[in-house]
Amino acid sequence: MTRPDKRPDYRSIFISDVHLGSAGCQADALCAFMKTHTSEQLYLVGDIIDGWRMRKKWYWPQSHTNVIRRILTAAKRGTDVTYIIGNHDEFLRAFLQFRLAFGEIKVKNRAVHEGEDGKRYLVVHGDMFDGMMRADRKWIMHLGDHAYNFLLWANTKLNAIRRRLGMPYWSLSQALKKRTKRALNHIHNFEGHVADYCRRKEFDGAICGHIHVAEMREIDGITYMNDGDWVESCTALVEHHDGRWELLHFQPHAVKDDVPSVNEARIAVVA
């Protein structure tokens, strides 16, 4: 259980798109983040394990095991942990009928989070709102996955050079998303579909991942929040005890000996 003499840092933390089992996963950064950021509730909002990648090639270094240990330790110490299934870990959906759980960790397709602000938030990975995930288009999604992994490989090489030159981390794939009209349209359509669904189902807002773009904004009266990812941007969505929402941006190359930089950036705040 959580120690009674120390209140967790946040009411809730939401992280997604960790992609354990892939070379692009920023596992060390996530371990450092979880070591210094505690919460009463922890939502793992899909694509925590990259089943797509591991079906093709086994990749599982010690740092990925350390992430699992951090999560299990949090649950053991009293954090209420919920694992939401995404498209890259969709193999878990076949076991939902058996009320799948990993110890104290609940596994679900979706959840409803009751915020301190009194609002009801749909918590879902988000692949259901992505037109590319339709059965007749999945081959396009898999093709895009190959292209994306090439970008991550190129990004790793580029940032290795930038580190040697004393330059900060920079995401090539994120930059392309912000500058490519097709990518911007895809993101805009995704966010609109999420908001429309919440409106029809009478949710006040949604918390999701999937598109690897951290965001908090109002869409026609619906609060849309995306917690980003731990491959490119290393972002987490947090709910403060007073009901405020905030996106945290963790600098992946500011980690030294599993201790985060004190200059960790907060990139957005919603009161």
Side-chain angles (χ1 to χ4, degrees):
M1 296 295 290
T2 303
R3 285 176 12 198
D5 59 329
K6 188 178 187 305
R7 190 185 194 188
D9 301 318
Y10 304 100
R11 185 172 186 262
S12 306
I13 293 178
F14 301 78
I15 60 174
S16 74
D17 298 274
V18 178
H19 292 275
L20 294 171
S22 72
C25 172
Q26 300 275 4
D28 287 331
L30 180 56
C31 280
F33 176 85
M34 294 187 66
K35 183 177 182 179
T36 55
H37 296 72
T38 59
S39 60
E40 295 174 358
Q41 300 174 84
L42 172 63
Y43 288 89
L44 308 170
V45 194
D47 284 5
I48 304 303
I49 299 172
D50 196 330
W52 289 11
R53 190 59 41 207
M54 290 198 295
R55 277 201 300 265
K56 299 169 184 175
K57 182 180 180 181
W58 180 260
Y59 178 82
W60 195 276
Q62 180 62 43
S63 59
H64 292 206
T65 298
N66 294 342
V67 171
I68 299 297
R69 286 177 174 171
R70 283 282 173 201
I71 295 169
L72 291 173
T73 298
K76 183 178 180 181
R77 291 178 177 174
T79 301
D80 184 6
V81 183
T82 302
Y83 188 124
I84 306 295
I85 299 172
N87 52 299
H88 280 260
D89 43 22
E90 61 187 353
F91 63 92
L92 293 172
R93 286 179 174 143
F95 303 98
L96 283 175
Q97 60 181 315
F98 304 113
R99 295 183 180 180
L100 181 64
F102 299 114
E104 299 296 322
I105 300 173
K106 302 179 291 294
V107 182
K108 300 181 177 181
N109 246 334
R110 61 176 67 186
V112 178
H113 177 72
E114 303 284 346
E116 184 66 23
D117 56 13
K119 295 181 179 180
R120 294 174 65 250
Y121 296 94
L122 171 68
V123 185
V124 64
H125 179 62
D127 50 306
M128 63 184 286
F129 301 109
D130 189 343
M132 290 295 105
M133 290 305 299
R134 280 173 25 190
D136 60 339
R137 292 185 179 180
K138 270 201 172 183
W139 67 273
I140 301 177
M141 178 62 74
H142 282 279
L143 183 63
D145 185 57
H146 284 294
Y148 178 66
N149 279 283
F150 173 77
L151 280 177
L152 291 179
W153 174 84
N155 193 65
T156 300
K157 301 299 182 184
L158 175 63
N159 276 287
I161 297 172
R162 289 176 64 87
R163 282 198 304 275
R164 293 191 189 100
L165 297 175
M167 300 172 69
Y169 177 81
W170 180 75
S171 175
L172 172 62
S173 51
Q174 285 283 359
L176 289 175
K177 282 181 183 179
K178 293 177 181 178
R179 290 169 173 79
T180 305
K181 184 176 180 180
R182 181 174 293 183
L184 289 173
N185 287 339
H186 178 73
I187 293 167
H188 178 76
N189 290 338
F190 174 85
E191 293 173 346
H193 290 324
V194 173
D196 288 343
Y197 181 85
C198 287
R199 195 172 296 107
R200 293 197 307 271
K201 299 298 182 180
E202 299 183 341
F203 290 106
D204 297 298
I207 300 167
C208 56
H210 185 60
I211 58 173
H212 293 210
V213 179
E215 182 67 272
M216 289 195 300
R217 67 190 186 97
E218 294 291 321
I219 305 177
D220 297 328
I222 299 297
T223 303
Y224 169 86
M225 295 187 282
N226 193 305
D227 58 24
D229 68 277
W230 285 84
V231 175
E232 303 170 64
S233 55
C234 295
T235 50
L237 174 70
V238 299
E239 179 189 22
H240 291 268
H241 293 288
D242 61 5
R244 288 181 300 115
W245 292 91
E246 184 177 11
L247 275 171
L248 303 183
H249 180 204
F250 193 88
Q251 297 296 329
H253 298 307
V255 178
K256 184 176 181 181
D257 300 326
D258 203 29
V259 178
S261 165
V262 295
N263 295 319
E264 175 187 335
R266 285 164 169 78
I267 59 177
V269 181
V270 171

